[in-house]
Amino acid sequence: MKSLIVNNVSKSFQSTKALKNVSFEINEGECVVIGGENGSGKTVLMNIIAGLEEADSGNVKAFSRPGLVFQEAETQILGETVYEDIAFGPKNLGWKKEKIAESVLRVLKITGLSEKKDFPARFLSGGEKRRLAVACMLAMDLSIIIFDEPYANLDYGGVKQVNALIKELKAQGKTIIILTHEIEKCLALSDRFIVLFRGEKVFDGSSRDGLLQNLEEWNIRKPLASYNCFEDLVW
């Protein structure tokens, strides 16, 4: 069953073509890494998928509402405490108080934030803020989660926290899209690898097959130059 269809999407900003006829489909429950150098069009594509920008041509069909975890997760914090932040979305959806409380407690457990529920949200670590952003998506029962550069500015412990959460989301059958140029930190978690280069899709296949490509041609550092095997490509 399809979760997302991107059909011939193009987008320009003045004379710069950010995306050029990008097409792909993602199945329900699939974990996809979309790699590419900075400026390859990843964030523009993400914004179009999430409904934050409109394509100049082409279209996106999402079979459920996507949830977006920004590179700077702190910008998504709207509540004073962790609990209040997670409850914000369901409250705006008009849920009853009992349903909100049940949902918040459930996702606190899933994301490993139960002990932080009364903690000031803005004082969380970088990895915890990304987990909080995901908790907010899960509280609203969103089944498509998009991560934009989830490892930016994180130390080793923060990367491990984010990857543990991605594994948990996979186990729940969520559809996951990870946009990153740091593919060595997560490629072994993914079912599929898509590469964008100068706004065009230049590769779409299995993650293992992606490592056989000449990634340097697209300004992506080849991870196996410093890792021993495919399974090592997750921190």
Side-chain angles (χ1 to χ4, degrees):
M1 183 175 177
K2 302 300 180 191
S3 184
L4 181 72
I5 298 174
V6 176
N7 182 41
N8 288 321
V9 167
S10 294
K11 179 71 175 180
S12 296
F13 297 96
Q14 296 180 346
S15 61
T16 302
K17 287 196 172 183
L19 294 171
K20 307 170 189 175
N21 298 317
V22 174
S23 295
F24 57 84
E25 298 179 357
I26 295 178
N27 294 321
E28 186 177 307
E30 199 169 18
C31 179
V32 180
V33 168
I34 300 180
E37 64 178 332
N38 291 333
S40 62
K42 301 190 304 296
T43 298
V44 176
L45 176 62
M46 174 198 67
N47 287 339
I48 292 172
I49 291 173
L52 301 178
E53 290 185 24
E54 290 188 5
D56 294 335
S57 60
N59 58 78
V60 172
K61 184 174 183 181
F63 292 86
S64 63
R65 180 183 163 195
L68 177 56
V69 180
F70 289 101
Q71 178 174 333
E72 299 297 335
E74 184 165 342
T75 62
Q76 296 178 258
I77 295 175
L78 298 171
E80 289 296 322
T81 67
V82 168
Y83 187 101
E84 291 171 355
D85 194 55
I86 298 172
F88 184 88
K91 280 182 180 177
N92 277 352
L93 293 175
W95 291 13
K96 292 183 178 179
K97 186 182 254 185
E98 297 78 13
K99 184 179 179 182
I100 292 172
E102 180 183 343
S103 181
V104 172
L105 292 175
R106 175 178 58 84
V107 301
L108 280 167
K109 185 176 181 180
I110 289 170
T111 55
L113 290 171
S114 295
E115 294 183 359
K116 299 273 189 176
K117 72 182 182 71
D118 298 317
F119 194 81
R122 295 193 181 276
F123 290 102
L124 294 172
S125 69
E128 288 170 338
K129 285 174 182 174
R130 282 180 174 83
R131 282 193 280 155
L132 175 59
V134 172
C136 294
M137 307 302 156
L138 297 180
M140 294 184 288
D141 288 333
L142 302 186
S143 58
I144 303 174
I145 309 294
I146 306 172
F147 291 87
D148 181 27
E149 296 290 356
Y151 308 109
N153 305 316
L154 293 187
D155 59 14
Y156 180 79
V159 173
K160 294 281 283 184
Q161 287 181 6
V162 171
N163 280 350
L165 179 56
I166 291 171
K167 288 180 183 178
E168 177 63 31
L169 295 175
K170 285 186 67 176
Q172 293 178 34
K174 301 294 184 183
T175 302
I176 305 165
I177 304 172
I178 306 169
L179 300 106
T180 183
H181 66 280
E182 300 178 271
I183 63 172
E184 71 279 0
K185 295 179 179 176
C186 61
L187 198 59
L189 289 173
S190 66
D191 305 303
R192 193 156 138 229
F193 183 36
I194 295 173
V195 178
L196 294 181
F197 180 64
R198 295 177 182 171
E200 296 185 78
K201 186 185 77 173
V202 293
F203 177 80
D204 184 352
S206 74
S207 299
R208 287 181 182 271
D209 288 345
L211 292 176
L212 301 176
Q213 308 303 307
N214 184 11
L215 296 177
E216 290 90 347
E217 180 184 356
W218 304 318
N219 296 329
I220 299 175
R221 186 173 65 86
K222 196 159 189 174
L224 289 185
S226 54
Y227 290 80
N228 296 321
C229 64
F230 180 77
E231 285 71 22
D232 288 339
L233 297 180
V234 59
W235 287 23

